[in-house]
């Protein structure tokens, strides 16, 4: 289990457990800060002292292998797991290069030191300032509150009213500071995964190109490097979507904290002061407790806790409530008091002081005291969606899809770029009215833009009272993608889709079939399966309760939608063979292929062969415009998620099989950006500066030898003589007798490449015979 999410609603309770979780986040950031300082120190030593290079490399590698990322929530995506393991991979490469060094690169300071120093000073430094501000406001608020509660009830009413207003202002300011601090803390925890690893990736590329004898290891690292870029880009894209949702939730809670209180088994829980009587002549003292009351069994639990005393949780005391009576000010010189009798302590009355008159009323109501006020239920305050899953809804969906496929399937940024709000609302109102729906003509480009139609389709799906994939099955859909192998993920989601209500499944079928068509035109519209997952994940799946923990599952929602798109025919056109979901195996990351592991199956998208014309060996990179993915809650034409200028959109690592060859072209585009190991690092060659964060910076060093033609031969057909189960997405599974088309030798020794049932992948050479 990683770090617990920090819920914004807990900022208002400020419970002991909230403080414990907050302290765990602070300790993790302190650990990260110390590690970055050490890493920077080691990096500078590596650059400054060539004679001590060997020692510095060992220390640097050791530091990397010792550090592990913590994650928020209960599971990681495959991309995050790959990023978590990247530091260990970097350490292994650094140790392998120790004996192969010749010269140190001159620009390591720009690609490694400055980004890490910037991250540490700007990001971690900002969190430290927020912590100082938060600690200061904590001290101020609770000190002021204690003084306020000690005011005599005999003071003038006007004086007491002014004091109440003042303490309310201080409380409000404290909650504002608390919300900002919690938001910033969680943002940095997520941000560090890509902003911290990315400079390291650039640093390693520089190391490889600075060693003439490191050419073989550089080529071996090339696939892992490209894969990690995909992982980082996917993680960055998901971070942006998650961040926008978190900020939106923070705004909602800031506006109405009572409405967004976290579901709790307790009728009430809050801080109170409890009077503790001492033997004469010491009188009595008031001690702050965090109290929780359960109506079932009338159990009252009290925990002594003071945020200013180091945050130590005292001994828990559980009592059985007998009665509760309001304590008047003529009987005690304190306000907001009530008396509690408990069955566990006969003849003992506990005097409790709430923080305000409203708080006392809530306690009286919860403890069945004399004063009760019924508060409106949270469910009654929620807005009901006006859209319905009826015949009109199906008509709206089909009209929008028909218009998009007839005249907008090739439009760049389809579903990512939003339309104008006023036009969206106007079209939606027309379509939602049965009288005008049939009269609306979406086929005329002069009337309605494609981005308006796509926005209306998404808005309709979001307006349904319940998401299309239902609240009930939300957790069941999420669990398979958090763990298990790719095949079990598909099988479990296949089963769950067929447990959806009939109308939900029918509408989902229509929509996913359309998204398959959209992804098939990704070369033109730039909307890959991964991008569509980011756009439609939060639209089709939503938890019943909005919390930070639920928002952290956005990345898994995206993967569920990707699986639906990539496996449409199997999921929607065939019935599941199982009568219950398959058991989910624990996640595991396959080992990376290296020169020392020739007998193991290669981890490759495909071992791509560069087809070159005789002496014309210049590889031409296809010009792919930059694009990002749409934030689930904000539609803006200028919203660019990707930070890479002119970078292709990377598909998810779980779904690398691209039948249109888009991914193959993207990877080839990366490989085409360099011509030799030595010239890549020569500062006199580039005519334009290259950003360390751009894909051009990460392109592998390729020599002329590396671009020689693969021996040509006539492609053949082959038959399987043994059955084989794929261990990775790049391999093919097949039974005895399967016939492969277009079979040719792979660049990986012992492996062939071929096509089976329209899918191209790797085949063990000794498992087949040529026809």
């Amino acid at each position: 289990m990683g770090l617990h999410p920090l819920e914004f609603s807990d900022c208002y309770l400020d419970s002991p457990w909230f403080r414990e979780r907050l302290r765990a986040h602070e300790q993790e950031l302190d650990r990260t800060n110390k590690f970055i300082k050490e890493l920077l120190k080691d990096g500078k030593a590596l650059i400054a002292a060539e004679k001590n290079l060997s020692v510095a490399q060992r220390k640097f590698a050791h530091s990397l292998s010792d550090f592990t990322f913590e994650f928020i929530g209960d599971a990681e995506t495959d991309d995050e797991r790959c990023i978590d393991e990247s530091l260990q991979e970097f350490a292994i490469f650094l140790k392998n290069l120790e004996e192969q060094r010749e010269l140190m690169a001159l620009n390591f300071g720009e690609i490694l030191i400055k980004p890490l120093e910037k991250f540490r000073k700007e990001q971690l430094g900002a969190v430290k300032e927020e912590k100082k501000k938060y600690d200061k406001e904590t001290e101020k608020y609770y000190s002021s509150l204690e003084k306020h509660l000690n005011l005599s009830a005999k003071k003038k009413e006007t004086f007491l009213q002014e004091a109440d207003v003042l303490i309310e202002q201080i409380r409000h300011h404290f909650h504002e500071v608390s919300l900002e601090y919690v938001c910033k803390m969680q943002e940095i925890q997520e941000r560090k995964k890509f902003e911290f690893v990315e400079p390291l990736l650039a640093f390693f590329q520089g190391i490889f190109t600075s060693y003439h004898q490191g050419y073989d290891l550089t080529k071996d690292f090339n696939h892992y490097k490209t894969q990690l870029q995909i992982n980082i880009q996917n993680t960055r894209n998901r971070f942006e979507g998650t961040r926008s949702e978190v900020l939106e939730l923070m705004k909602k809670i800031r506006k109405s904290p009572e409405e967004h209180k976290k579901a709790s088994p307790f009728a009430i829980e809050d801080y109170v002061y409890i009077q503790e009587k001492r033997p004469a002549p010491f009188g009595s003292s008031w001690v702050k407790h965090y109290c929780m009351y359960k109506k079932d069994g009338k159990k009252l639990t009290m925990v002594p806790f003071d945020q200013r005393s180091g945050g130590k949780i005292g001994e828990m005391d559980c009592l059985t409530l007998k009665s509760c009576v309001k304590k008047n000010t003529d009987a005690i010189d304190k306000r907001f008091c009530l008396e509690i009798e408990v069955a566990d302590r006969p003849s003992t009355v506990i005097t409790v002081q709430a923080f305000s008159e409203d708080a006392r009323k809530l306690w009286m109501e919860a403890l069945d005291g004399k004063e009760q006020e019924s508060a409106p239920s949270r469910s009654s305050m929620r807005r009901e969606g006006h859209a319905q899953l009826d015949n009109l809804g199906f008509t709206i969906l089909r009209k929008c899809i028909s218009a998009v496929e007839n005249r907008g399937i090739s439009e760049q940024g389809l579903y990512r770029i939003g339309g104008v709000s006023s036009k969206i609302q106007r079209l939606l109102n027309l379509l939602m009215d049965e009288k005008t729906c049939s009269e609306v003509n979406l086929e005329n480009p002069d009337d309605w833009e494609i981005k308006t139609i796509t926005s209306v389709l998404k808005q309709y799906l979001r307006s349904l009272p319940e998401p299309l994939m239902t609240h009930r099955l939300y957790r069941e859909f999420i669990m398979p993608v958090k763990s298990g192998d790719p095949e079990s993920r598909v099988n479990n989601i296949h089963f769950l889709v067929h447990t959806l209500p009939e109308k939900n499944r029918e509408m989902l079928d229509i929509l996913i079939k359309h998204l398959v068509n959209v992804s098939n035109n990704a070369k033109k519209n730039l909307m890959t399966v991964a991008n569509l997952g980011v756009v439609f994940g939060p639209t089709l799946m939503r938890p019943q309760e909005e919390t930070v923990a639920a928002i952290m599952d956005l990345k898994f929602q995206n993967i569920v939608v990707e699986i639906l798109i990539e496996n449409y025919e199997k999921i929607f056109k065939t019935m599941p063979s199982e009568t219950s979901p398959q058991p989910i195996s624990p996640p595991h990351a396959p080992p990376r292929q290296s020169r020392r592991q020739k007998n193991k199956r290669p981890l490759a998208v495909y071992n791509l062969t560069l087809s070159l014309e005789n002496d014309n060996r210049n590889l031409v990179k296809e010009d792919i415009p930059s694009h990002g993915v749409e934030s689930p809650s904000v539609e803006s034409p200028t919203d660019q998620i990707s930070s890479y200028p002119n970078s292709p959109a990377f598909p998810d690592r779980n779904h690398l099989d691209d039948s249109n060859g888009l991914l193959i072209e993207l990877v080839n585009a990366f490989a085409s950006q360099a011509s030799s190991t030595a010239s890549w690092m020569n500062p006199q060659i580039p005519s334009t500066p290259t950003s360390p964060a751009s894909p051009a910076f990460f392109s592998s060093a390729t020599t002329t030898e590396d671009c020689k033609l693969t021996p040509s031969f006539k492609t053949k057909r082959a038959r399987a003589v043994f059955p084989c189960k794929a261990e990775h997405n790049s391999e093919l599974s097949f039974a005895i007798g399967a016939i492969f088309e277009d079979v040719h030798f792979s660049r990986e020794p012992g492996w062939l490449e071929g096509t089976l049932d329209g899918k191209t992948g790797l085949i063990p050479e000794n498992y087949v015979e040529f026809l």
Side-chain angles (χ1 to χ4, degrees), residues 392 430-440:
L392 179 61
L430 290 172
L431 291 173
M432 291 296 295
D433 189 341
E434 293 184 359
K435 298 178 181 178
T436 58
C437 180
S438 59
E439 300 174 1
V440 177

Side-chain angles (χ1 to χ4, degrees), residues 5 177 199 214 223 284 289 409 423 516 545 566 647 661 759:
V177 172
H223 165 69
S284 62
H289 287 66
I409 198 69
K423 294 182 180 180
V516 170
E545 186 179 8
E566 293 186 329
S647 67
K759 181 179 179 181

Side-chain angles (χ1 to χ4, degrees), residues 200-266:
L200 287 170
L201 184 60
F203 167 78
F204 277 84
Q205 181 63 52
I207 284 219
F208 290 138
T209 53
S210 67
Y211 286 90
H212 295 292
Q213 296 180 355
Y215 167 71
D216 287 339
L217 284 175
T218 303
K219 189 168 65 173
D220 182 51
F221 183 71
N222 184 49
H223 165 69
Y224 179 76
K225 175 200 66 181
T226 305
Q227 185 67 45
L228 185 57
Q229 287 175 311
I230 296 172
N231 302 137
I232 292 172
Q233 184 66 16
N234 286 339
T235 304
R236 181 193 296 275
N237 290 346
R238 289 171 183 144
F239 162 78
E240 292 293 346
T242 301
R243 181 172 178 270
S244 64
E245 288 289 324
V246 169
L247 293 176
E248 186 66 24
L249 178 59
M250 185 177 72
K251 291 177 183 177
K252 291 180 182 177
I253 291 183
R254 178 184 288 155
K255 187 176 181 180
S256 53
E258 292 297 323
E259 184 180 344
H260 289 82
K261 275 188 177 179
K262 192 170 63 172
S264 171
F266 301 104

Side-chain angles (χ1 to χ4, degrees), residues 384-397:
E384 295 293 334
H386 63 280
Q388 296 297 326
L389 200 61
D390 52 12
N391 292 334
L392 179 61
F394 278 92
T395 302
I396 294 172
L397 187 75

Side-chain angles (χ1 to χ4, degrees), residues 205 209 218-219 221-223 225-226 670-676 680 695-703 706:
Q205 181 63 52
T209 53
T218 303
K219 189 168 65 173
F221 183 71
N222 184 49
H223 165 69
K225 175 200 66 181
T226 305
F670 278 116
S672 68
Q673 294 177 8
S675 60
S676 70
W680 189 90
F697 179 85
F698 295 107
S699 60
S700 60
T702 310
T703 64
D706 202 26

